[in-house]
Amino acid sequence: MKVLVLINSAPRYKLFYSNLADALERVGCEVFFAVDARRSAVLEPLDKVDKGAGTYFFDDFFKKNYAESSFEGGDNVTWGEAFFSDFDRFLSHGFNLEKPPEYWKRVKHCLDAFFDNLVRDESIDFVLYENVSNSFAYSAFRSARRNGIKYIGLMASRIPGRFEIQTSVIDDETRKISDMVGEDATQEENEWYETYRKSILNTSPDYMSYNNLGNVDLSRLLAKDKLRYVCRLVKAHFSTDSFYDYQFGKPLGAIFKGMKVNVKRKINFFFERRFFCSNEEIERLSLEEEFFVYPIHFHPESSTSVLAPEYTDEFNNVLNIANNLPFGVMLYVKEHKSAIGVQAPSVYKKISALPNVRFVDPSYNIKDLIVKSKGLITVNSTAGFEAAVLGKPVNLLGRVFYEDFPNVNKLKGFSDIKNISSGQDDVDCRQHVVAYYRYTHEGHLRIDKSAELDQHVYDDFASKVMDVVNA
């Protein structure tokens, strides 16, 4: 079988997917690489990918075909489907915003042609990357669908020690889970469920344990690996044509963008802390009043920019949820521990000023709040899955794998909040949670530890990938 592996600027993904490609070759696959830009060969040099005969760089194709106004093929998508996952990052961090609209039309046309040509010319059997999380992956996914092959996306599961192998943006996943709901749970699955449910108050998904997104310590910017990366950015600035590097922009700009983001988060967190209620105050009030819980997301993140692009403005979300709650019912807004300092202090000030909102410190265990609450209102957070496991009502604004679970109320918009009921407590989601467990695969998807994983770990990933490809 022939596999097309995607590579872009996500940290350490290049080494992980190169090692996984080696494992796929050991089971008889022929591997090709689609790399977003030659900048990759400077920032994260890896000869197997950078100099391989089966490696194709999109920026080369884009530069060669930039003057073309259109290509045959392609399909109908919205601007948001095509590019918002990238623009959510651009707008959040203030970079790569100088391109004219015509540029993005050309990007779209060239992405369609790049992947269609690759898939057809090399007779690709499946595409491999993470979940559909950005425009490069989305274009590859659409091309795979047009050409009748599978897109295989790996991502960490919401259950510790497990990972997902996705084949769509969301629809395949919800269908597969629903199909498994009717199967009786085995004794082993029942035992797992009981253990998981009893321990969930103090259990977190793997990615929450190691993503390090909540670290706002500026000293990490002086670490050797960071300084090495800055030097490579300078080299990339002078050795590559960044005009055609559509997802990244100017390498020198990335240096200042990175510093700006980290310094800004540090300053924001310093000023925002005064707007949080103390843990002692929340502990007391949560026993005295009726409230729903709303968890803030980390931004930018594919869970919202791809699956819920209408709900990426957190102040707008909180304002509209709070305004539509019954008078006297409070909204406890829980900051994500990975998102500290992401919002400007002015946003926290406005949120905390709303008369029925209490701003909860990131250190507070959200599951302790959920248990005491009337239920959860969420875009599509992991907390929604955990609330369902706890038997609490979940009111859902976006798309997510647990959207068809019992006691999950799918909202069409903020105005639906006026009519939500508290639902029922202690609703049994066993069959659906076990179905999700079956849908996932055993293994720790530790891309941050790519260089430290043994060969047998990659071989196990490859084996499970091939099982899904051949299903």
Side-chain angles (χ1 to χ4, degrees):
M1 278 195 163
K2 295 183 177 181
V3 52
L4 178 64
V5 178
L6 308 187
I7 303 290
N8 78 342
S9 60
R12 293 174 291 279
Y13 274 51
K14 186 176 185 179
L15 179 59
F16 177 86
Y17 281 98
S18 175
N19 289 343
L20 181 53
D22 290 341
L24 288 167
E25 287 178 341
R26 288 193 287 273
V27 295
C29 289
E30 184 178 357
V31 177
F32 298 83
F33 294 97
V35 186
D36 63 334
R38 288 203 172 266
R39 172 239 325 128
S40 171
V42 180
L43 298 188
E44 197 174 357
L46 197 61
D47 284 353
K48 173 185 173 63
V49 177
D50 303 333
K51 300 178 181 179
T55 296
Y56 297 84
F57 292 90
F58 174 69
D59 60 339
D60 288 347
F61 183 91
F62 189 27
K63 185 174 184 177
K64 181 179 179 181
N65 296 281
Y66 183 79
E68 295 289 336
S69 60
S70 65
F71 292 87
E72 293 183 4
D75 50 7
N76 295 320
V77 299
T78 66
W79 279 95
E81 288 171 324
F83 290 122
F84 183 67
S85 53
D86 291 334
F87 269 83
D88 197 20
R89 287 184 293 110
F90 301 160
L91 295 168
S92 295
H93 298 323
F95 76 105
N96 205 28
L97 297 172
E98 74 281 359
K99 304 290 197 309
E102 185 65 27
Y103 178 90
W104 296 103
K105 293 180 184 178
R106 297 179 190 276
V107 172
K108 174 66 170 64
H109 294 149
C110 285
L111 281 170
D112 288 344
F114 175 73
F115 283 114
D116 280 351
N117 292 350
L118 241 176
V119 167
R120 294 166 186 169
D121 293 349
E122 299 295 358
S123 300
I124 298 298
D125 294 297
F126 68 97
V127 177
L128 176 67
Y129 184 55
E130 66 169 355
N131 58 302
V132 179
S133 56
N134 58 72
S135 63
F136 197 61
Y138 183 74
S139 183
F141 164 72
R142 298 296 296 223
S143 179
R145 285 291 170 96
R146 285 194 298 271
N147 290 282
I149 64 174
K150 285 186 177 180
Y151 178 97
I152 302 295
L154 308 184
M155 70 171 287
S157 164
R158 273 65 159 197
I159 298 172
R162 302 187 73 80
F163 69 99
E164 299 180 26
I165 301 180
Q166 300 188 349
T167 56
S168 75
V169 176
I170 184 65
D171 291 328
D172 285 358
E173 284 54 60
T174 57
R175 175 183 55 78
K176 289 174 184 176
I177 294 168
S178 294
D179 288 346
M180 295 176 181
V181 169
E183 303 172 20
D184 291 336
T186 65
Q187 180 179 345
E188 182 181 355
E189 289 170 338
N190 278 322
E191 290 174 353
W192 168 82
Y193 174 78
E194 292 298 337
T195 301
Y196 178 62
R197 193 173 191 277
K198 289 176 182 176
S199 63
I200 195 169
L201 289 178
N202 297 302
T203 299
S204 297
D206 290 343
Y207 65 86
M208 286 294 295
S209 303
Y210 61 76
N211 66 20
N212 203 35
L213 291 173
N215 185 2
V216 293
D217 186 354
L218 295 181
S219 64
R220 66 195 180 99
L221 297 178
L222 300 177
K224 287 184 179 180
D225 61 328
K226 296 292 184 182
L227 295 175
R228 186 184 304 113
Y229 183 72
V230 168
C231 291
R232 288 176 175 174
L233 280 170
V234 173
K235 181 179 178 181
H237 182 81
F238 293 104
S239 61
T240 63
D241 191 341
S242 63
F243 180 79
Y244 301 98
D245 190 353
Y246 85 97
Q247 284 189 310
F248 200 83
K250 298 176 181 178
L252 283 185
I255 298 175
F256 297 109
K257 183 263 292 185
M259 293 176 61
K260 177 182 175 182
V261 167
N262 282 279
V263 171
K264 185 178 176 182
R265 286 189 67 184
K266 183 72 172 180
I267 294 172
N268 286 351
F269 185 55
F270 177 80
F271 286 105
E272 76 187 26
R273 286 179 294 184
R274 62 193 172 105
F275 299 115
F276 294 124
C277 295
S278 69
N279 288 349
E280 293 75 19
E281 185 179 11
I282 291 296
E283 193 70 29
R284 176 179 58 83
L285 291 171
S286 63
L287 297 173
E288 299 175 356
E289 56 193 10
E290 291 186 324
F291 66 94
F292 284 92
V293 178
Y294 174 75
I296 286 182
H297 277 262
F298 176 82
H299 296 282
E301 174 58 52
S302 65
S303 62
T304 49
S305 62
V306 173
L307 296 178
E310 304 92 336
Y311 302 106
T312 56
D313 184 331
E314 289 294 356
F315 175 69
N316 184 65
N317 292 348
V318 173
L319 178 65
N320 281 284
I321 293 170
N323 282 345
N324 283 289
L325 286 178
F327 197 86
V329 176
M330 305 298 290
L331 181 66
Y332 283 34
V333 176
K334 169 65 168 61
E335 176 65 288
H336 196 296
K337 71 176 185 179
S338 296
I340 56 175
V342 170
Q343 309 288 339
S346 59
V347 173
Y348 293 93
K349 181 178 180 179
K350 288 189 289 185
I351 289 176
S352 63
L354 295 172
N356 63 328
V357 170
R358 303 205 186 280
F359 217 153
V360 183
D361 190 276
S363 65
Y364 200 97
N365 187 338
I366 190 172
K367 284 164 279 194
D368 287 336
L369 276 182
I370 291 171
V371 170
K372 300 172 186 175
S373 73
K374 291 169 66 69
L376 187 81
I377 301 172
T378 183
V379 175
N380 55 9
S381 69
T382 297
F385 171 63
E386 294 168 334
V389 175
L390 290 166
K392 300 294 290 189
V394 179
N395 297 282
L396 183 67
L397 288 162
R399 298 288 313 276
V400 71
F401 74 92
Y402 57 80
E403 62 187 36
D404 295 322
F405 280 29
N407 226 18
V408 173
N409 176 29
K410 288 187 278 191
L411 305 173
K412 294 180 180 178
F414 293 119
S415 60
D416 280 0
I417 294 171
K418 292 179 182 178
N419 303 315
I420 64 173
S421 64
S422 300
Q424 298 178 352
D425 282 351
D426 297 322
V427 172
D428 186 4
C429 289
R430 178 190 301 264
Q431 286 182 286
H432 288 74
V433 176
V434 168
Y436 177 61
Y437 174 84
R438 290 172 181 153
Y439 162 73
T440 62
H441 303 263
E442 184 177 1
H444 294 270
L445 194 66
R446 293 299 304 269
I447 293 178
D448 62 316
K449 300 291 185 182
S450 299
E452 302 168 25
L453 299 179
D454 292 334
Q455 178 178 309
H456 72 84
V457 175
Y458 287 105
D459 288 338
D460 185 56
F461 284 134
S463 174
K464 289 169 180 171
V465 164
M466 293 308 298
D467 286 344
V468 174
V469 170
N470 293 321

